[in-house]
Amino acid sequence: MTFRVLLAVAGAITLAIALSFAKAPAKRQDSTWTEFPAAANDPPQSGLQEIVLAGGCFWGVQAVFDHVAGVERTMAGYAGGTAETAHYEMVATGTTGHAEAVRVTYDPQRVSLGQILRIFFAVAHDPTQRDRQGPDVGRQYRSAIFVAGGEQERIVRNYLAQVEAERPFRQPVVTRIEPLPRFFPAEAHHQDYVLDHPNEPYVLLNDRPKLEALQKLFPHLYRDRPQRVSDRN
C-alpha cells in the first residue's frame, strides 16, 4: 500500500481543517497558482496529436486534461521503463525508471501543443518539485515530458527554455525532457479515478484545486463534463 492510499484513509479525519485553508487553489511550493506565459513558438499542427506528460500522481494530471476542450482522449499509464515493470506495484517502488504519466490525445485545431504545455505547467502539477508532488515521493512522481522527437521535441524544448528564462516561479523548474520509446496504459481502476472518486479525501485535497485553477485561469479552454475513458477509446 503506497503512502497515497494511506493518505486517502487518514485524510478523512483532517479534511475539514485542511479545506478551510484551501478556499483558493494553492497547492504549490510558492503557495500560488501561476499563469505561465503563452508559448512564443507554437506552430500549427494537423491531425490528432499525442503528448505524454508526467507530473506526480496520474489521477490528477488525467483529470485536468479531461477537462480541457480540444482534448479527444486521455490514458493514465507508465513511461520511462520496460514492459516487464509497467505495473503499479512495481512502479510504486520508484526503481523501475517509469513515471506515472498521462497520454494526452488532442485536436490541434482546437487546442495547440503550446496551450497543452502551458496548462501542464500552470495547473496540472508543480514543476519545481524534484522527484515528488505534494505527499507523493519518488522518481515515479517526477516532472517529465516524454517526447517522440522531431517537431514535437523542438516545441517542447523551446517552451521549457522560455519558462526557464521568464521564471514564473521563485524556485527553478526541474521538468525533464525524456525520449518516449513506449507508453504503457495503467490498470483499469486507475483510469478516470478522480471522476469516479470525487469526494475521496486525497482527491479533494490534491486534485480538486487543480480543476478549480484550470477553470479560473483558462475559462476559454475549460470543459465542464468530460467523457469517461471507456467512452473515448
Side-chain angles (χ1 to χ4, degrees):
M1 181 177 291
T2 66
F3 184 76
R4 185 165 75 220
V5 176
L6 292 174
L7 179 68
V9 175
I13 301 174
T14 58
L15 179 59
I17 296 175
L19 288 179
S20 69
F21 292 98
K23 293 181 181 179
K27 301 297 290 184
R28 314 173 81 101
Q29 279 190 350
D30 64 359
S31 298
T32 63
W33 289 97
T34 302
E35 187 168 359
F36 269 69
N41 181 11
D42 194 12
Q45 298 174 296
S46 60
L48 291 183
Q49 301 289 321
E50 292 183 348
I51 186 77
V52 175
L53 306 170
C57 173
F58 44 25
W59 297 344
V61 176
Q62 182 181 38
V64 166
F65 286 103
D66 276 347
H67 283 273
V68 174
V71 170
E72 294 292 318
R73 52 187 177 268
T74 63
M75 179 68 70
Y78 312 108
T82 65
E84 292 75 19
T85 60
H87 307 282
Y88 183 75
E89 291 75 13
M90 299 182 71
V91 173
T93 67
T95 62
T96 66
H98 280 296
E100 290 194 11
V102 176
R103 184 176 62 198
V104 178
T105 304
Y106 62 97
D107 179 355
Q109 301 302 311
R110 300 178 62 198
V111 60
S112 69
L113 178 54
Q115 290 172 312
I116 293 285
L117 295 172
R118 190 181 186 190
I119 290 170
F120 175 63
F121 283 110
V123 300
H125 82 307
D126 182 346
T128 70
Q129 293 192 17
R130 187 181 300 276
D131 293 340
R132 70 173 300 162
Q133 283 292 305
D136 303 316
V137 180
R139 286 199 69 245
Q140 70 272 33
Y141 300 116
R142 65 188 181 273
S143 173
I145 303 172
F146 292 87
V147 296
E151 181 72 358
Q152 181 182 87
E153 182 173 357
R154 187 178 69 82
I155 295 171
V156 170
R157 288 194 181 279
N158 285 342
Y159 188 67
L160 184 56
Q162 180 185 343
V163 167
E164 291 171 340
E166 297 189 26
R167 297 202 58 147
F169 282 137
R170 292 193 294 268
Q171 300 295 325
V173 170
V174 297
T175 305
R176 301 161 50 109
I177 298 175
E178 302 184 30
L180 179 68
R182 190 173 170 188
F183 175 84
F184 304 93
E187 297 81 354
H189 61 275
H190 287 299
Q191 308 298 337
D192 292 326
Y193 194 90
V194 171
L195 184 61
D196 290 336
H197 304 85
N199 297 315
E200 184 178 287
Y202 178 93
V203 170
L204 291 173
L205 289 170
N206 296 283
D207 299 328
R208 187 175 71 177
K210 297 177 183 181
L211 299 180
E212 293 171 352
L214 175 66
Q215 187 173 21
K216 178 181 178 180
L217 296 178
F218 301 96
H220 59 297
L221 290 173
Y222 181 80
R223 176 172 58 195
D224 189 44
R225 296 191 178 187
Q227 294 176 293
R228 293 181 177 274
V229 164
S230 58
D231 296 331
R232 295 186 299 253
N233 294 280

